Amino acid sequence: MKYTGVELLEKLSMLFGPSGCEGEVAEFIVDQIQGDCDSIETDRVGNIIARISGRGIEYNPESPKKVMVCAHMDEVGVMVSDITEEGYLRFSTVGGISPTVLLDKKVILLCENGKKINGVISSKAIHMQTVEERGKVIPTSKMYIDIGASSEAEARQYVEIGTVGVFDSDFVLFGEADNLIKGKALDDRLGCAIMIDIMRELYTNGKGLEYDVYFAFTCCEEIGISGATVAANKIRPDVAIVLESTAVADIAGVPAASKVAILGEGGAISLMDRSTIYDRNTVEIALAAAENYGIKAQIKKYISGGNDSANIQRSGKGVKVLSLSAPSRYIHSASNVIHREDVDAMRSLTYTLIANGKI
């Protein structure tokens, strides 16, 4: 069965896919895009690369243009690093997770036999903490995962060193007209959902494209060892659009100047982050298209973070890259929050740039 819109995003959000363990997500995506592109391949590192052919060489025999659209499949998570004699699991984070969002959260762990088990993240009981400890953030090294085992031997029947897990979180619509979405892994399953929807529309309506378009669903972005490097070196695009999420800080008590972007005001276009300075002409093209077609878009106002753009930009002979991100509250937690209108705006702008030859 093929899914669309919010239902598609929910299905993607609920899948298990921490960095290096994206197989479940990849299988679902391949099933969803079958018949909506001219080719699909999975490379050695686990990226999915789908192609929709345009006029290609017939359009420009000397140098057929290639456009790449990219979103990563992986999510942040945890990895078991030790098992105590009492049966508790010490762990490290997979990707950037603040210790402040970990305590008391439910997690799902993937066992070696493919079975999934539940756990709860906890730490020393508060009545056992010193006054000094109570006033500090508990580091991840002082936390553990409780899977209900009573001994190390019992725990090892289910998990081992290297077992990975993700947040166990519901997918919830809330707010006015249910316009807000709360869930895990919206960074960057929302980008994957947008790409799937665009592929379907392009494949139906876009056979006159002036260039080939490659859709790369990449792996391992959250740990910085990005599969996008491999994908971009294979595709060798001229220009790429990276669909992402970005932290926003649009909450109470934050000065206006510190708010990265605003939920409901469209995708955030980056000028610069910690790893990339974006091609200004490409940014201007995107902003002009948004204005001309009445699509919401905004500039990301704070220099922070990074994404697959850096790896793509530096591949081959160099690539012009546009980063378009959904403003996201509480990113890299069990309760990432995004606005449905931002997802729709990102989809519309990306499709317009590709289908109308604006990029």
Side-chain angles (χ1 to χ4, degrees), residues 12 17-23 25-26 29 33 41-50 68-75 187-189 191-193 195 214-235 240-244 307-309 311-312:
L12 284 163
S19 300
C21 193
E22 299 93 346
V25 184
I29 289 172
I33 64 177
E41 73 172 280
T42 302
D43 64 24
R44 293 177 182 173
V45 300
N47 299 312
I48 300 169
I49 301 175
M68 175 181 179
V69 188
C70 177
H72 65 88
M73 297 183 287
D74 58 314
E75 64 187 291
D187 172 20
D188 186 30
R189 304 284 165 72
C192 295
M195 283 173 36
Y214 293 79
F215 293 84
F217 301 85
T218 61
C219 58
C220 294
E221 189 270 354
E222 294 295 2
I223 59 171
I225 307 173
S226 174
T229 304
V230 177
N233 278 315
K234 178 175 180 57
I235 297 168
I241 303 173
V242 175
L243 302 176
E244 258 287 8
N307 54 47
D308 277 338
S309 296
N311 301 284
I312 297 169

CSV table of all heavy atoms in Angstrom, one decimal, residues 12 17-23 25-26 29 33 41-50 68-75 187-189 191-193 195 214-235 240-244 307-309 311-312:
chain,number,residue,atom,x,y,z
A,12,LEU,N,6.7,6.8,8.2
A,12,LEU,CA,8.2,6.9,8.2
A,12,LEU,C,8.7,7.2,9.6
A,12,LEU,O,9.7,6.7,10.1
A,12,LEU,CB,8.6,8.1,7.3
A,12,LEU,CG,8.5,7.7,5.8
A,12,LEU,CD1,8.5,9.0,4.9
A,12,LEU,CD2,9.7,6.8,5.4
A,17,GLY,N,15.3,3.3,12.8
A,17,GLY,CA,16.4,3.5,11.8
A,17,GLY,C,17.4,4.5,12.4
A,17,GLY,O,17.7,5.5,11.8
A,18,PRO,N,18.2,4.1,13.5
A,18,PRO,CA,19.3,4.9,13.9
A,18,PRO,C,20.4,4.8,12.9
A,18,PRO,O,20.4,3.9,12.0
A,18,PRO,CB,19.7,4.3,15.2
A,18,PRO,CG,19.3,2.9,15.1
A,18,PRO,CD,18.0,2.9,14.3
A,19,SER,N,21.4,5.7,13.0
A,19,SER,CA,22.5,5.7,12.0
A,19,SER,C,23.2,4.4,12.0
A,19,SER,O,23.5,3.8,13.0
A,19,SER,CB,23.5,6.8,12.5
A,19,SER,OG,23.0,8.1,12.5
A,20,GLY,N,23.4,3.9,10.8
A,20,GLY,CA,24.0,2.6,10.6
A,20,GLY,C,23.1,1.4,10.6
A,20,GLY,O,23.5,0.3,10.4
A,21,CYS,N,21.8,1.7,10.9
A,21,CYS,CA,20.8,0.6,11.0
A,21,CYS,C,19.5,1.1,10.3
A,21,CYS,O,18.4,1.0,10.8
A,21,CYS,CB,20.5,0.3,12.4
A,21,CYS,SG,19.6,-1.2,12.7
A,22,GLU,N,19.7,1.6,9.1
A,22,GLU,CA,18.5,2.2,8.3
A,22,GLU,C,17.7,1.2,7.5
A,22,GLU,O,16.9,1.6,6.7
A,22,GLU,CB,19.1,3.3,7.4
A,22,GLU,CG,19.7,4.5,8.1
A,22,GLU,CD,21.3,4.3,8.2
A,22,GLU,OE1,21.8,3.2,8.0
A,22,GLU,OE2,21.9,5.3,8.6
A,23,GLY,N,18.0,-0.1,7.6
A,23,GLY,CA,17.4,-1.1,6.7
A,23,GLY,C,15.9,-1.1,6.7
A,23,GLY,O,15.3,-1.2,5.6
A,25,VAL,N,13.9,1.4,7.3
A,25,VAL,CA,13.4,2.6,6.6
A,25,VAL,C,13.7,2.5,5.1
A,25,VAL,O,12.8,2.8,4.3
A,25,VAL,CB,14.2,3.8,7.1
A,25,VAL,CG1,13.6,5.1,6.5
A,25,VAL,CG2,14.1,3.9,8.7
A,26,ALA,N,14.8,2.0,4.7
A,26,ALA,CA,15.1,1.8,3.3
A,26,ALA,C,14.2,0.9,2.6
A,26,ALA,O,13.7,1.2,1.5
A,26,ALA,CB,16.6,1.3,3.2
A,29,ILE,N,10.9,2.7,2.0
A,29,ILE,CA,11.0,3.7,1.0
A,29,ILE,C,11.0,3.1,-0.4
A,29,ILE,O,10.3,3.6,-1.3
A,29,ILE,CB,12.3,4.6,1.2
A,29,ILE,CG1,12.0,5.5,2.4
A,29,ILE,CG2,12.6,5.5,0.0
A,29,ILE,CD1,13.3,6.3,2.9
A,33,ILE,N,8.4,3.9,-3.5
A,33,ILE,CA,8.8,4.6,-4.8
A,33,ILE,C,8.8,3.7,-6.0
A,33,ILE,O,9.1,4.2,-7.1
A,33,ILE,CB,10.1,5.4,-4.6
A,33,ILE,CG1,11.3,4.4,-4.4
A,33,ILE,CG2,10.0,6.4,-3.5
A,33,ILE,CD1,12.6,5.0,-4.3
A,41,GLU,N,18.5,2.2,-7.1
A,41,GLU,CA,19.6,1.3,-6.7
A,41,GLU,C,20.0,1.6,-5.2
A,41,GLU,O,19.8,2.7,-4.7
A,41,GLU,CB,20.8,1.5,-7.6
A,41,GLU,CG,21.6,2.8,-7.4
A,41,GLU,CD,22.9,2.8,-8.3
A,41,GLU,OE1,23.9,2.2,-7.8
A,41,GLU,OE2,22.9,3.3,-9.4
A,42,THR,N,20.6,0.6,-4.6
A,42,THR,CA,21.1,0.8,-3.2
A,42,THR,C,22.6,0.6,-3.3
A,42,THR,O,23.1,-0.4,-3.8
A,42,THR,CB,20.5,-0.2,-2.3
A,42,THR,OG1,19.0,-0.1,-2.2
A,42,THR,CG2,21.0,0.0,-0.9
A,43,ASP,N,23.4,1.6,-2.8
A,43,ASP,CA,24.8,1.4,-2.9
A,43,ASP,C,25.4,0.7,-1.7
A,43,ASP,O,24.7,0.2,-0.8
A,43,ASP,CB,25.5,2.8,-3.1
A,43,ASP,CG,25.3,3.7,-1.9
A,43,ASP,OD1,25.0,3.2,-0.8
A,43,ASP,OD2,25.3,5.0,-2.1
A,44,ARG,N,26.7,0.6,-1.7
A,44,ARG,CA,27.4,-0.2,-0.7
A,44,ARG,C,27.2,0.3,0.7
A,44,ARG,O,27.3,-0.5,1.7
A,44,ARG,CB,28.9,-0.3,-1.0
A,44,ARG,CG,29.2,-1.1,-2.3
A,44,ARG,CD,30.7,-1.1,-2.6
A,44,ARG,NE,31.0,-1.8,-3.8
A,44,ARG,CZ,32.2,-1.8,-4.4
A,44,ARG,NH1,33.2,-1.1,-3.8
A,44,ARG,NH2,32.4,-2.4,-5.5
A,45,VAL,N,27.0,1.5,0.9
A,45,VAL,CA,26.9,2.1,2.3
A,45,VAL,C,25.4,2.1,2.7
A,45,VAL,O,25.1,2.5,3.9
A,45,VAL,CB,27.5,3.4,2.4
A,45,VAL,CG1,29.0,3.4,2.1
A,45,VAL,CG2,26.9,4.5,1.6
A,46,GLY,N,24.5,1.8,1.8
A,46,GLY,CA,23.1,1.8,2.2
A,46,GLY,C,22.2,2.9,1.7
A,46,GLY,O,21.0,3.0,2.0
A,47,ASN,N,22.8,3.9,1.0
A,47,ASN,CA,21.9,4.9,0.4
A,47,ASN,C,21.0,4.3,-0.7
A,47,ASN,O,21.4,3.3,-1.4
A,47,ASN,CB,22.8,5.9,-0.4
A,47,ASN,CG,23.8,6.6,0.6
A,47,ASN,OD1,23.4,7.1,1.6
A,47,ASN,ND2,25.0,6.7,0.1
A,48,ILE,N,19.8,4.9,-0.8
A,48,ILE,CA,19.0,4.6,-2.0
A,48,ILE,C,19.0,5.8,-2.9
A,48,ILE,O,18.9,7.0,-2.6
A,48,ILE,CB,17.5,4.5,-1.5
A,48,ILE,CG1,17.4,3.4,-0.5
A,48,ILE,CG2,16.6,4.2,-2.7
A,48,ILE,CD1,16.0,3.3,0.2
A,49,ILE,N,19.3,5.5,-4.2
A,49,ILE,CA,19.4,6.5,-5.2
A,49,ILE,C,18.4,6.2,-6.3
A,49,ILE,O,18.5,5.2,-7.0
A,49,ILE,CB,20.8,6.6,-5.8
A,49,ILE,CG1,21.8,6.9,-4.8
A,49,ILE,CG2,20.8,7.7,-6.9
A,49,ILE,CD1,23.3,6.9,-5.2
A,50,ALA,N,17.4,7.1,-6.5
A,50,ALA,CA,16.4,6.9,-7.5
A,50,ALA,C,16.5,8.0,-8.5
A,50,ALA,O,16.8,9.1,-8.2
A,50,ALA,CB,15.0,6.9,-6.9
A,68,MET,N,20.3,16.9,-7.9
A,68,MET,CA,20.2,15.9,-6.8
A,68,MET,C,19.3,16.5,-5.7
A,68,MET,O,19.4,17.6,-5.3
A,68,MET,CB,21.6,15.6,-6.2
A,68,MET,CG,21.6,14.7,-5.0
A,68,MET,SD,23.4,14.5,-4.5
A,68,MET,CE,23.2,13.5,-3.1
A,69,VAL,N,18.4,15.7,-5.2
A,69,VAL,CA,17.5,16.1,-4.1
A,69,VAL,C,17.9,15.0,-3.0
A,69,VAL,O,17.9,13.8,-3.2
A,69,VAL,CB,16.0,16.0,-4.4
A,69,VAL,CG1,15.3,16.6,-3.2
A,69,VAL,CG2,15.7,16.8,-5.6
A,70,CYS,N,18.1,15.5,-1.8
A,70,CYS,CA,18.7,14.7,-0.7
A,70,CYS,C,18.0,14.8,0.6
A,70,CYS,O,17.6,15.9,1.0
A,70,CYS,CB,20.2,15.0,-0.6
A,70,CYS,SG,21.0,14.1,0.7
A,71,ALA,N,17.7,13.7,1.3
A,71,ALA,CA,17.3,13.7,2.7
A,71,ALA,C,17.8,12.5,3.3
A,71,ALA,O,17.9,11.4,2.7
A,71,ALA,CB,15.7,13.7,2.7
A,72,HIS,N,18.1,12.5,4.6
A,72,HIS,CA,18.7,11.4,5.3
A,72,HIS,C,17.7,10.5,6.0
A,72,HIS,O,16.7,11.0,6.5
A,72,HIS,CB,19.9,11.8,6.2
A,72,HIS,CG,19.5,12.6,7.4
A,72,HIS,ND1,19.0,12.0,8.6
A,72,HIS,CD2,19.4,13.9,7.6
A,72,HIS,CE1,18.8,12.9,9.5
A,72,HIS,NE2,19.0,14.1,8.9
A,73,MET,N,17.9,9.2,5.9
A,73,MET,CA,17.0,8.2,6.5
A,73,MET,C,17.2,8.0,8.0
A,73,MET,O,16.3,7.6,8.7
A,73,MET,CB,17.1,6.9,5.8
A,73,MET,CG,16.8,6.9,4.3
A,73,MET,SD,16.9,5.3,3.6
A,73,MET,CE,18.7,5.1,3.5
A,74,ASP,N,18.4,8.2,8.5
A,74,ASP,CA,18.7,7.8,9.9
A,74,ASP,C,18.2,8.8,10.9
A,74,ASP,O,17.9,10.0,10.6
A,74,ASP,CB,20.2,7.7,10.0
A,74,ASP,CG,21.0,8.9,9.7
A,74,ASP,OD1,20.7,9.5,8.6
A,74,ASP,OD2,21.9,9.3,10.5
A,75,GLU,N,18.1,8.3,12.1
A,75,GLU,CA,17.7,9.2,13.2
A,75,GLU,C,18.7,9.0,14.4
A,75,GLU,O,19.5,8.1,14.4
A,75,GLU,CB,16.3,8.7,13.7
A,75,GLU,CG,16.2,7.3,14.3
A,75,GLU,CD,14.8,6.8,14.6
A,75,GLU,OE1,14.2,7.3,15.5
A,75,GLU,OE2,14.4,5.9,13.8
A,187,ASP,N,13.3,14.6,12.0
A,187,ASP,CA,14.6,14.9,11.4
A,187,ASP,C,15.2,13.5,11.1
A,187,ASP,O,15.7,12.9,12.0
A,187,ASP,CB,15.5,15.7,12.4
A,187,ASP,CG,16.9,15.9,12.0
A,187,ASP,OD1,17.2,15.7,10.8
A,187,ASP,OD2,17.8,16.1,12.8
A,188,ASP,N,15.2,13.0,9.8
A,188,ASP,CA,14.8,13.8,8.7
A,188,ASP,C,13.8,13.0,7.8
A,188,ASP,O,13.8,13.0,6.6
A,188,ASP,CB,16.0,14.1,7.8
A,188,ASP,CG,15.7,15.1,6.7
A,188,ASP,OD1,14.8,15.9,6.8
A,188,ASP,OD2,16.4,15.0,5.7
A,189,ARG,N,12.9,12.3,8.5
A,189,ARG,CA,11.9,11.5,7.8
A,189,ARG,C,10.9,12.4,7.0
A,189,ARG,O,10.3,12.0,6.0
A,189,ARG,CB,11.1,10.6,8.7
A,189,ARG,CG,12.0,9.6,9.5
A,189,ARG,CD,12.6,8.5,8.7
A,189,ARG,NE,13.7,7.8,9.4
A,189,ARG,CZ,13.5,7.0,10.5
A,189,ARG,NH1,12.3,6.8,11.0
A,189,ARG,NH2,14.6,6.5,11.0
A,191,GLY,N,11.9,15.0,5.4
A,191,GLY,CA,12.5,15.2,4.1
A,191,GLY,C,12.3,14.0,3.2
A,191,GLY,O,12.1,14.2,2.0
A,192,CYS,N,12.4,12.8,3.7
A,192,CYS,CA,12.1,11.6,2.9
A,192,CYS,C,10.7,11.6,2.4
A,192,CYS,O,10.4,11.2,1.2
A,192,CYS,CB,12.4,10.4,3.8
A,192,CYS,SG,14.1,10.1,4.3
A,193,ALA,N,9.7,12.0,3.3
A,193,ALA,CA,8.3,12.0,2.8
A,193,ALA,C,8.1,13.0,1.7
A,193,ALA,O,7.4,12.7,0.7
A,193,ALA,CB,7.4,12.4,4.0
A,195,MET,N,10.3,14.0,-0.5
A,195,MET,CA,10.9,13.5,-1.7
A,195,MET,C,10.0,12.4,-2.4
A,195,MET,O,9.9,12.4,-3.6
A,195,MET,CB,12.3,12.9,-1.4
A,195,MET,CG,13.3,14.0,-1.2
A,195,MET,SD,15.0,13.5,-0.7
A,195,MET,CE,15.2,11.9,-1.5
A,214,TYR,N,17.9,13.2,-9.5
A,214,TYR,CA,18.3,12.0,-8.7
A,214,TYR,C,17.8,12.3,-7.3
A,214,TYR,O,18.1,13.4,-6.7
A,214,TYR,CB,19.8,11.8,-8.7
A,214,TYR,CG,20.4,11.4,-10.0
A,214,TYR,CD1,20.6,12.3,-11.0
A,214,TYR,CD2,20.6,10.0,-10.3
A,214,TYR,CE1,21.1,11.9,-12.3
A,214,TYR,CE2,21.2,9.6,-11.5
A,214,TYR,CZ,21.4,10.6,-12.5
A,214,TYR,OH,21.9,10.2,-13.7
A,215,PHE,N,17.1,11.3,-6.7
A,215,PHE,CA,16.6,11.5,-5.3
A,215,PHE,C,17.5,10.5,-4.4
A,215,PHE,O,17.4,9.3,-4.6
A,215,PHE,CB,15.2,11.1,-5.2
A,215,PHE,CG,14.3,12.1,-6.0
A,215,PHE,CD1,14.1,12.0,-7.3
A,215,PHE,CD2,13.7,13.2,-5.3
A,215,PHE,CE1,13.3,12.9,-8.0
A,215,PHE,CE2,12.9,14.1,-5.9
A,215,PHE,CZ,12.7,14.0,-7.3
A,216,ALA,N,18.3,11.1,-3.5
A,216,ALA,CA,19.2,10.3,-2.7
A,216,ALA,C,18.6,10.3,-1.2
A,216,ALA,O,18.5,11.3,-0.6
A,216,ALA,CB,20.6,10.9,-2.7
A,217,PHE,N,18.3,9.1,-0.8
A,217,PHE,CA,17.9,8.9,0.6
A,217,PHE,C,19.1,8.3,1.3
A,217,PHE,O,19.5,7.2,1.0
A,217,PHE,CB,16.7,7.8,0.6
A,217,PHE,CG,15.5,8.3,-0.1
A,217,PHE,CD1,15.3,8.0,-1.5
A,217,PHE,CD2,14.4,8.9,0.6
A,217,PHE,CE1,14.2,8.4,-2.2
A,217,PHE,CE2,13.3,9.3,-0.1
A,217,PHE,CZ,13.1,9.0,-1.5
A,218,THR,N,19.7,9.2,2.1
A,218,THR,CA,21.1,8.9,2.6
A,218,THR,C,21.1,8.3,4.0
A,218,THR,O,20.1,8.4,4.7
A,218,THR,CB,22.0,10.1,2.5
A,218,THR,OG1,21.4,11.1,3.3
A,218,THR,CG2,22.1,10.6,1.1
A,219,CYS,N,22.2,7.7,4.4
A,219,CYS,CA,22.4,7.1,5.7
A,219,CYS,C,23.5,7.9,6.5
A,219,CYS,O,24.3,8.6,5.9
A,219,CYS,CB,22.8,5.7,5.5
A,219,CYS,SG,24.3,5.4,4.6
A,220,CYS,N,23.5,7.6,7.8
A,220,CYS,CA,24.5,8.0,8.7
A,220,CYS,C,24.8,9.6,8.8
A,220,CYS,O,25.9,10.0,9.2
A,220,CYS,CB,25.8,7.3,8.4
A,220,CYS,SG,25.7,5.5,8.7
A,221,GLU,N,23.8,10.4,8.5
A,221,GLU,CA,24.0,11.8,8.6
A,221,GLU,C,24.2,12.3,10.0
A,221,GLU,O,25.0,13.2,10.3
A,221,GLU,CB,22.8,12.6,7.9
A,221,GLU,CG,23.0,14.1,7.8
A,221,GLU,CD,22.6,14.9,9.0
A,221,GLU,OE1,22.0,14.3,9.9
A,221,GLU,OE2,22.8,16.1,9.0
A,222,GLU,N,23.5,11.6,10.9
A,222,GLU,CA,23.4,12.1,12.3
A,222,GLU,C,24.8,11.9,13.0
A,222,GLU,O,25.0,12.6,14.0
A,222,GLU,CB,22.3,11.4,13.1
A,222,GLU,CG,20.9,11.7,12.6
A,222,GLU,CD,20.5,13.2,12.9
A,222,GLU,OE1,21.4,13.9,13.4
A,222,GLU,OE2,19.4,13.5,12.6
A,223,ILE,N,25.6,11.1,12.5
A,223,ILE,CA,26.9,10.9,13.2
A,223,ILE,C,28.1,11.5,12.4
A,223,ILE,O,29.2,11.4,12.7
A,223,ILE,CB,27.3,9.4,13.4
A,223,ILE,CG1,27.3,8.6,12.1
A,223,ILE,CG2,26.3,8.8,14.4
A,223,ILE,CD1,27.8,7.2,12.2
A,224,GLY,N,27.7,12.3,11.3
A,224,GLY,CA,28.7,13.0,10.6
A,224,GLY,C,29.4,12.3,9.5
A,224,GLY,O,30.1,12.9,8.7
A,225,ILE,N,29.3,10.9,9.5
A,225,ILE,CA,30.0,10.1,8.5
A,225,ILE,C,28.9,9.9,7.4
A,225,ILE,O,28.3,8.8,7.3
A,225,ILE,CB,30.5,8.8,9.1
A,225,ILE,CG1,31.4,9.1,10.3
A,225,ILE,CG2,31.3,8.0,8.0
A,225,ILE,CD1,31.8,7.9,11.0
A,226,SER,N,28.7,10.9,6.6
A,226,SER,CA,27.5,11.0,5.8
A,226,SER,C,27.6,10.1,4.6
A,226,SER,O,28.6,10.1,3.8
A,226,SER,CB,27.3,12.4,5.4
A,226,SER,OG,26.2,12.5,4.5
A,227,GLY,N,26.5,9.3,4.4
A,227,GLY,CA,26.4,8.6,3.1
A,227,GLY,C,26.2,9.5,1.9
A,227,GLY,O,26.4,9.0,0.8
A,228,ALA,N,25.9,10.7,2.2
A,228,ALA,CA,25.7,11.7,1.1
A,228,ALA,C,27.0,11.9,0.3
A,228,ALA,O,26.9,12.2,-0.9
A,228,ALA,CB,25.2,13.0,1.6
A,229,THR,N,28.1,11.7,0.9
A,229,THR,CA,29.4,11.8,0.2
A,229,THR,C,29.5,10.8,-0.9
A,229,THR,O,29.8,11.1,-2.1
A,229,THR,CB,30.6,11.6,1.2
A,229,THR,OG1,30.5,12.6,2.2
A,229,THR,CG2,31.9,11.8,0.4
A,230,VAL,N,29.1,9.6,-0.6
A,230,VAL,CA,29.2,8.5,-1.5
A,230,VAL,C,28.1,8.7,-2.6
A,230,VAL,O,28.4,8.6,-3.8
A,230,VAL,CB,28.9,7.1,-0.8
A,230,VAL,CG1,28.9,6.0,-1.9
A,230,VAL,CG2,30.0,6.9,0.2
A,231,ALA,N,26.9,9.1,-2.2
A,231,ALA,CA,25.9,9.3,-3.2
A,231,ALA,C,26.2,10.4,-4.2
A,231,ALA,O,26.0,10.3,-5.4
A,231,ALA,CB,24.5,9.7,-2.5
A,232,ALA,N,26.7,11.5,-3.7
A,232,ALA,CA,27.1,12.7,-4.5
A,232,ALA,C,28.2,12.4,-5.5
A,232,ALA,O,28.2,12.8,-6.6
A,232,ALA,CB,27.4,13.9,-3.7
A,233,ASN,N,29.2,11.6,-5.0
A,233,ASN,CA,30.3,11.2,-5.9
A,233,ASN,C,29.9,10.3,-7.0
A,233,ASN,O,30.5,10.3,-8.1
A,233,ASN,CB,31.4,10.6,-5.1
A,233,ASN,CG,32.3,11.6,-4.4
A,233,ASN,OD1,32.7,12.6,-5.0
A,233,ASN,ND2,32.6,11.4,-3.1
A,234,LYS,N,28.8,9.5,-6.7
A,234,LYS,CA,28.3,8.7,-7.8
A,234,LYS,C,27.4,9.5,-8.8
A,234,LYS,O,27.6,9.3,-10.0
A,234,LYS,CB,27.5,7.5,-7.2
A,234,LYS,CG,26.8,6.6,-8.2
A,234,LYS,CD,26.1,5.5,-7.6
A,234,LYS,CE,25.5,4.6,-8.7
A,234,LYS,NZ,26.5,4.1,-9.7
A,235,ILE,N,26.6,10.3,-8.2
A,235,ILE,CA,25.7,11.1,-9.1
A,235,ILE,C,26.4,12.2,-9.9
A,235,ILE,O,26.1,12.4,-11.0
A,235,ILE,CB,24.5,11.7,-8.2
A,235,ILE,CG1,23.7,10.6,-7.6
A,235,ILE,CG2,23.6,12.6,-9.1
A,235,ILE,CD1,22.7,11.1,-6.5
A,240,ALA,N,22.3,20.7,-6.0
A,240,ALA,CA,21.6,19.8,-5.1
A,240,ALA,C,20.7,20.6,-4.1
A,240,ALA,O,21.0,21.7,-3.7
A,240,ALA,CB,22.6,19.0,-4.3
A,241,ILE,N,19.5,20.0,-3.8
A,241,ILE,CA,18.6,20.5,-2.8
A,241,ILE,C,18.6,19.6,-1.6
A,241,ILE,O,18.3,18.4,-1.8
A,241,ILE,CB,17.2,20.7,-3.4
A,241,ILE,CG1,17.2,21.6,-4.6
A,241,ILE,CG2,16.3,21.3,-2.3
A,241,ILE,CD1,15.9,21.7,-5.3
A,242,VAL,N,19.0,20.0,-0.5
A,242,VAL,CA,19.0,19.2,0.7
A,242,VAL,C,17.8,19.6,1.6
A,242,VAL,O,17.6,20.7,2.0
A,242,VAL,CB,20.3,19.4,1.5
A,242,VAL,CG1,20.2,18.6,2.8
A,242,VAL,CG2,21.5,18.9,0.7
A,243,LEU,N,16.9,18.6,1.8
A,243,LEU,CA,15.7,18.8,2.6
A,243,LEU,C,16.0,18.3,4.0
A,243,LEU,O,16.4,17.2,4.2
A,243,LEU,CB,14.5,18.1,2.0
A,243,LEU,CG,14.2,18.4,0.6
A,243,LEU,CD1,13.1,17.6,0.0
A,243,LEU,CD2,13.8,19.9,0.5
A,244,GLU,N,15.8,19.2,5.0
A,244,GLU,CA,16.2,18.9,6.4
A,244,GLU,C,15.3,19.5,7.4
A,244,GLU,O,14.2,20.0,7.1
A,244,GLU,CB,17.6,19.5,6.6
A,244,GLU,CG,18.8,18.6,6.6
A,244,GLU,CD,18.8,17.6,7.8
A,244,GLU,OE1,17.9,17.6,8.6
A,244,GLU,OE2,19.8,16.9,7.9
A,307,ASN,N,24.6,19.9,7.8
A,307,ASN,CA,23.9,18.7,7.3
A,307,ASN,C,24.6,18.1,6.1
A,307,ASN,O,25.8,18.4,5.9
A,307,ASN,CB,22.5,19.2,6.9
A,307,ASN,CG,22.4,20.4,6.0
A,307,ASN,OD1,23.2,20.4,5.0
A,307,ASN,ND2,21.6,21.4,6.3
A,308,ASP,N,23.9,17.4,5.3
A,308,ASP,CA,24.5,16.7,4.2
A,308,ASP,C,25.1,17.7,3.1
A,308,ASP,O,25.9,17.3,2.3
A,308,ASP,CB,23.5,15.8,3.5
A,308,ASP,CG,23.4,14.4,4.1
A,308,ASP,OD1,24.3,14.0,4.8
A,308,ASP,OD2,22.3,13.8,4.0
A,309,SER,N,24.7,18.9,3.2
A,309,SER,CA,25.1,19.9,2.2
A,309,SER,C,26.6,20.0,2.1
A,309,SER,O,27.2,20.1,1.0
A,309,SER,CB,24.6,21.3,2.6
A,309,SER,OG,23.2,21.3,2.5
A,311,ASN,N,29.0,17.8,2.7
A,311,ASN,CA,29.5,16.6,2.0
A,311,ASN,C,29.2,16.7,0.5
A,311,ASN,O,30.1,16.3,-0.4
A,311,ASN,CB,29.0,15.3,2.6
A,311,ASN,CG,29.3,15.2,4.0
A,311,ASN,OD1,30.4,14.9,4.4
A,311,ASN,ND2,28.3,15.5,4.9
A,312,ILE,N,28.0,17.1,0.1
A,312,ILE,CA,27.7,17.2,-1.3
A,312,ILE,C,28.4,18.3,-2.0
A,312,ILE,O,29.0,18.2,-3.1
A,312,ILE,CB,26.1,17.4,-1.4
A,312,ILE,CG1,25.4,16.2,-0.9
A,312,ILE,CG2,25.8,17.6,-2.9
A,312,ILE,CD1,23.9,16.4,-0.7
